[in-house]
Amino acid sequence: MGLWIYLNGEFVPEEEAKISVFDHGFLYGDGVFEGIRAYHGKVFRLQEHIDRLYDSAKAINLAVPLTKEEMIEVVCETCRRNNLTDAYIRLVISRGKGDLGLDPNKCPQPTIVNIASSITLYPEELYRIGLSVITVPTRRNIPEGVNPRIKSLNYLNNIMAKIEANIAGVPEAVLLNQEGFVAECTGDNIFIVKNGVLKTPAPYLGILEGVTRNAVIELAQKRGIPVQETVLPRYDLFTADECFLTGTAAELIPVTKIDDRVIGNGEPGPIFNQLLEDFRELVKVDGVDIY
Ligand code: PMP
């Protein structure tokens, strides 16, 4: 049986969930989105996702026609309509239907879509043995252009990097920023551990400030692990004791090889293992109840 999709105020079967070819989300990637996760009947950090969505919309001057409370209800109701307690949720707001020009003023009504389904990003075994990743030539968007803090529908920058990873035969790419410092991966934030200190690139370097990233920082602080949001050259990746990625879809996944250098002892490290365990506990309690 197919899914029920939220589309502009209604729930429709997926075969009927269609949008115009004149939608500027389709024509120009003009819009914003969120990837959200529900665990055990709770939508994990839904308020944070909604806040980021509205900030992204505001940054591109897109007025969302629903209140945040209404949007939270849309997300929960989509899960209920599909009888889901565990889900990957994709909430999308595009500029809406316009003409063939760029002008957003010609798009009177944003398109709002919410899909509650599932996603498997990486095979289970990679969570045990860790990913092999590479740094790629494609640089992360500059903050003065489309700031990476905007979770925009235009993911071509990230897709270019993913293509480079695909060609190299690895599952993920690390993008550097314009200065050559580590930014993030195509759909995940990156962390390293060195001498017991957890380090991750600071948001001003040009990254998406991940909800999972922020949760992991809090979990580390609760454990008394020192955390630094800082500047990381590739050197710090190569010489790290541990490395891992975070994201709503991937959750926490270890990295054991970067540009052919073995990270640490080549296995997921103790701080990663601890934080993963803590994260699995956190998602059981930290969320908005669907039912
Ligand atoms: N960076 C990018 C570019 C992403 O697309 C994502 C996933 N949405 C993340 C980081 C991780 O963010 P979050 O933990 O909020 O999913």
Side-chain angles (χ1 to χ4, degrees), residues 52 140 151 155 158 184 186-189 208 210-212 247-248:
R52 186 172 68 184
R140 194 68 176 99
K151 198 162 167 60
Y155 254 54
N158 310 51
E184 59 182 334
T186 64
D188 293 314
N189 292 114
L208 184 79
V211 170
T212 320
T248 295

Side-chain angles (χ1 to χ4, degrees), residues 29-250:
D30 183 356
V32 293
F33 76 103
E34 279 298 317
I36 309 169
R37 198 83 179 244
Y39 297 92
H40 318 291
K42 285 180 191 292
V43 185
F44 182 64
R45 301 225 158 165
L46 181 52
Q47 188 67 52
E48 284 86 339
H49 282 287
I50 297 295
D51 288 345
R52 186 172 68 184
L53 180 71
Y54 278 66
D55 284 347
S56 292
K58 201 162 188 189
I60 68 162
N61 211 24
L62 195 166
V64 184
L66 268 59
T67 64
K68 287 185 179 181
E69 291 69 32
E70 286 167 339
M71 200 62 93
I72 285 170
E73 186 51 26
V74 165
V75 169
C76 292
E77 182 61 18
T78 311
C79 293
R80 289 193 288 266
R81 295 272 177 137
N82 291 285
N83 290 317
L84 292 167
T85 53
D86 293 82
Y88 178 80
I89 299 155
R90 177 59 57 88
L91 181 53
V92 184
I93 310 178
S94 80
R95 190 76 64 181
K97 191 177 161 198
D99 65 15
L100 289 176
L102 287 175
D103 192 353
N105 288 338
K106 306 265 178 67
C107 307
Q109 194 63 44
T111 301
I112 304 179
V113 173
N114 191 42
I115 307 164
S117 182
S118 60
I119 192 170
T120 310
L121 216 57
Y122 300 114
E124 185 53 39
E125 94 165 310
L126 290 182
Y127 286 84
R128 275 181 280 109
I129 64 169
L131 299 178
S132 179
V133 305
I134 56 165
T135 54
V136 292
T138 296
R139 295 288 170 101
R140 194 68 176 99
N141 285 336
I142 55 169
E144 297 79 6
V146 179
N147 194 312
R149 296 185 74 168
I150 302 170
K151 198 162 167 60
S152 94
L153 283 184
N154 198 317
Y155 254 54
L156 208 42
N157 179 232
N158 310 51
I159 291 165
M160 295 295 281
K162 193 74 167 183
I163 289 167
E164 288 168 338
N166 285 346
I167 290 168
V170 294
E172 189 50 279
V174 180
L175 291 101
L176 308 177
N177 71 4
Q178 288 303 305
E179 287 74 41
F181 296 116
V182 175
E184 59 182 334
C185 292
T186 64
D188 293 314
N189 292 114
I190 187 164
F191 284 84
I192 62 160
V193 177
K194 182 69 175 179
N195 298 330
V197 180
L198 186 65
K199 302 184 188 191
T200 193
Y204 74 85
L205 293 164
I207 60 162
L208 184 79
E209 195 178 340
V211 170
T212 320
R213 170 193 185 275
N214 290 351
V216 164
I217 288 173
E218 286 169 30
L219 290 171
Q221 285 166 339
K222 275 208 188 112
R223 286 263 165 211
I225 299 164
V227 180
Q228 291 176 1
E229 296 182 63
T230 184
V231 178
L232 299 173
R234 286 167 84 221
Y235 170 88
D236 288 85
L237 298 185
F238 300 151
T239 58
D241 300 325
E242 300 183 31
C243 179
F244 62 91
L245 312 182
T246 65
T248 295

